[in-house]
Amino acid sequence: MGNSSSKADNVVGSESPDSPEAILREMAKSHSTANISPSITCSSASSGINLKSESKLSRSASGADVTEKYLTQLVPVEKLAVILKEKSVKLGVNGIASDVFVTQVFPHYADLGKRLFTFLHLNSRATTTYLGTMAFRQQCERFLGIMDDAKVLECYIKMYAQEDNPDFIDKEGVTRLLHICYTIAMQHSGNGFVCSEINRTFSSVTKSIFFSQDSMSLGYVCRWFEQNLMRLVLLIHKYCVHTLSTAYRGLEQGPPPCGIELQTPVLEQRNPFTEKSPSGNVVDASSSLMPLSQAWLLAGALPPSYSRPQQVTSPNSSKASAAQIFKEKLSMMPSHWTLLYNSNEHGLGANRFLHHVLGYRGPTLILIHAENDQTYLVAAPGEWKETHLYVGGDGSCIMQLLPKFVILERKPNILYLNTCVRGYPKGLRAGSDPRKPIISIDEHFEKIDIKGIAHVLLSIEARKKNEKII
């Protein structure tokens, strides 16, 4: 998994000095400067960042770190701290109270706000119930300055750990983390649709992580997410960085009635999970083999090429605004996946599958539904071809989606489709071992073997990337 600090996103002519991307780059620069010479003092009026050397001897009761360390002061965080303290003082608190932080900064995500404040409070080791202004600034700046993806993931897993046993996390904690990731992704992608299968989707993840255990260590869960669903948690971190960096502007002008306004025309479209049958009748998304929550989960597990949105362009100019670009990066929801083939509508058979799938050159998702409520996915990064050879690029992947979410294999040259070349096995196969493929469907698309065990094949669905804006 790549390090988020390896490349900075370039936003030409649209990035404000206190945007999340600009702040993170300035934090990286200031950290590097501080490591070279902690006594250097500099300021930048254009970016609103001051780097000062402070040397003190102890830690205050309200959590301010006054040991000999540099203090990076970000103007957005400093302004936010001043505003929150003013509101807390009115409640008789000489600092920043948890309730004020939650209601003012995260009014629509109270649970996330409480957990973030608790995380900042614990890291400051404050003995008071509130955070002092300096301690709040220090912890926010350190939080914003986290550049390593693995460290980001660790922070959020810790936020959702058990209260009485902070070294472990249970199923409820993981479910709450998944729920906030899903909620933020949906509400900021233009696809705020309720999914009736959401509990089932979350359950497939917790079954994969916990097996028959009630809780697991934070280290184990961090490694599981890092290997399977890293991008989901990185998405929520982008939102928190954006919120902490821009909340002061809304508070200076009064409480925002609807939170942060983020408009992205490319994602403001009809529900992509409502399809039309060949007869023209509308087919509800609930009848699909890929519910909305499951599609969201796949967007976090598969490479970005399967779900990357189109370039966002402003309707009034040739360049996208900073808010539009941020929302594009925040959302990885595959709103542009459309139906190529559905055996329930087009008929189950090799000829019907080949007719609808062959010839499409982009990434495709093949969903296979078998007996006993089992659903598998074969992800192809490029065009399907009839050949006696195993094909597939770096993004080729085989997964079990239900009843457990498991990545079975992820490597090139694991896809096979042959119905006409004599002398070679016929049918659709997936797996790196030709003698023991993970999934094997016969040439008539009537039988399926999964890990060498025969199952009843119920239906198959294929989806593609739609490159057009609807």
Side-chain angles (χ1 to χ4, degrees):
M1 190 63 62
N3 193 311
S4 61
S5 63
S6 59
K7 292 185 179 179
D9 297 317
N10 293 322
V11 183
V12 180
S14 63
E15 183 178 79
S16 61
D18 56 353
S19 66
E21 290 80 4
I23 288 173
L24 291 178
R25 281 198 289 275
E26 291 294 343
M27 288 291 294
K29 292 178 183 178
S30 62
H31 282 199
S32 176
T33 304
N35 290 334
I36 295 172
S37 177
S39 61
I40 293 177
T41 301
C42 64
S43 64
S44 174
S46 60
S47 64
I49 295 178
N50 299 320
L51 181 62
K52 298 180 180 179
S53 172
E54 293 195 357
S55 177
K56 299 184 181 180
L57 300 176
S58 61
R59 180 184 293 273
S60 67
S62 59
D65 184 1
V66 291
T67 58
E68 187 173 354
K69 289 186 178 180
Y70 63 88
L71 175 61
T72 306
Q73 293 182 353
L74 298 176
V75 167
V77 173
E78 189 173 1
K79 289 184 176 181
L80 177 62
V82 172
I83 295 172
L84 294 180
K85 183 177 181 180
E86 290 177 353
K87 295 182 179 294
S88 298
V89 167
K90 294 179 181 179
L91 300 178
V93 177
N94 188 25
I96 297 175
S98 173
D99 291 343
V100 173
F101 176 80
V102 172
T103 57
Q104 299 299 317
V105 184
F106 291 90
H108 303 291
Y109 307 107
D111 183 63
L112 175 62
K114 290 178 182 178
R115 292 177 185 274
L116 179 55
F117 185 88
T118 301
F119 178 80
L120 301 176
H121 189 274
L122 289 175
N123 284 343
S124 71
R125 299 195 294 276
T127 58
T128 59
T129 57
Y130 59 87
L131 273 175
T133 305
M134 181 179 293
F136 176 81
R137 292 205 315 264
Q138 289 174 344
Q139 296 306 320
C140 283
E141 289 162 8
R142 288 170 182 167
F143 182 76
L144 294 174
I146 299 174
M147 299 295 173
D148 184 72
D149 289 351
K151 185 64 177 177
V152 169
L153 177 62
E154 181 184 347
C155 289
Y156 286 91
I157 298 296
K158 283 183 177 179
M159 288 185 201
Y160 286 84
Q162 294 176 306
E163 293 184 6
D164 56 345
N165 194 358
D167 292 329
F168 286 80
I169 184 171
D170 55 21
K171 293 181 181 179
E172 182 181 358
V174 170
T175 301
R176 285 180 178 272
L177 177 59
L178 291 172
H179 190 273
I180 189 62
C181 291
Y182 175 82
T183 303
I184 290 178
M186 293 298 100
Q187 292 189 2
H188 291 276
S189 68
N191 296 321
F193 307 118
V194 176
C195 178
S196 59
E197 298 292 319
I198 189 169
N199 291 331
R200 191 183 185 198
T201 300
F202 292 167
S203 178
S204 69
V205 175
T206 56
K207 285 179 181 179
S208 180
I209 295 175
F210 294 96
F211 306 100
S212 60
Q213 303 295 321
D214 295 328
S215 63
M216 300 295 287
S217 68
L218 297 184
Y220 173 81
V221 177
C222 283
R223 288 192 297 272
W224 190 94
F225 270 89
E226 189 170 359
Q227 295 171 3
N228 296 277
L229 295 173
M230 183 76 156
R231 296 173 62 217
L232 295 185
V233 182
L234 297 182
L235 185 75
I236 191 176
H237 184 62
K238 286 185 178 181
Y239 173 77
C240 289
V241 168
H242 176 83
T243 301
L244 291 174
S245 306
T246 60
Y248 78 95
R249 290 190 295 213
L251 294 176
E252 285 179 339
Q253 301 169 2
C258 299
I260 299 174
E261 293 292 337
L262 300 172
Q263 301 296 327
T264 305
V266 71
L267 294 176
E268 292 175 353
Q269 49 186 284
R270 68 174 178 82
N271 186 345
F273 295 88
T274 300
E275 308 292 353
K276 288 187 177 181
S277 66
S279 61
N281 297 325
V282 174
V283 180
D284 195 297
S286 60
S287 64
S288 171
L289 294 182
M290 187 171 60
L292 182 62
S293 58
Q294 197 173 80
W296 161 80
L297 199 65
L298 289 177
L302 293 170
S305 58
Y306 285 92
S307 57
R308 182 182 293 116
Q310 287 181 290
Q311 291 293 326
V312 176
T313 55
S314 172
N316 300 321
S317 66
S318 59
K319 294 182 179 180
S321 68
Q324 290 170 342
I325 292 172
F326 167 72
K327 185 179 175 184
E328 180 189 13
K329 294 175 182 176
L330 181 68
S331 173
M332 59 185 180
M333 190 58 219
S335 59
H336 45 289
W337 283 351
T338 56
L339 195 65
L340 260 180
Y341 166 76
N342 188 337
S343 61
N344 292 330
E345 296 294 326
H346 304 113
L348 181 61
N351 290 335
R352 304 305 301 162
F353 178 84
L354 296 176
H355 173 75
H356 287 87
V357 175
L358 288 186
Y360 179 72
R361 298 182 179 181
T364 53
L365 305 179
I366 309 299
L367 290 103
I368 302 167
H369 190 55
E371 61 180 335
N372 299 325
D373 198 25
Q374 297 185 77
T375 301
Y376 292 83
L377 171 78
V378 177
E383 179 181 5
W384 281 92
K385 295 180 180 180
E386 272 207 279
T387 175
H388 64 287
L389 303 174
Y390 276 78
V391 298
D394 291 335
S396 303
C397 187
I398 308 168
M399 298 183 186
Q400 181 183 9
L401 302 183
L402 292 172
K404 290 183 179 182
F405 180 84
V406 182
I407 296 179
L408 300 174
E409 196 164 27
R410 184 164 46 190
K411 60 172 64 175
N413 301 323
I414 59 174
L415 310 178
Y416 179 94
L417 179 62
N418 175 34
T419 60
C420 59
V421 181
R422 296 181 179 180
Y424 292 90
K426 293 185 179 181
L428 187 153
R429 294 186 170 197
S432 58
D433 188 350
R435 295 168 297 181
K436 296 181 180 180
I438 296 175
I439 295 176
S440 177
I441 301 177
D442 74 318
E443 60 180 312
H444 304 294
F445 276 49
E446 296 176 348
K447 301 177 182 178
I448 181 173
D449 286 351
I450 302 173
K451 297 180 180 180
I453 301 175
H455 292 77
V456 176
L457 177 61
L458 300 179
S459 55
I460 299 179
E461 179 181 352
R463 286 187 176 268
K464 67 174 182 176
K465 285 185 64 175
N466 181 16
E467 303 299 339
K468 296 182 180 180
I469 301 176
I470 301 175

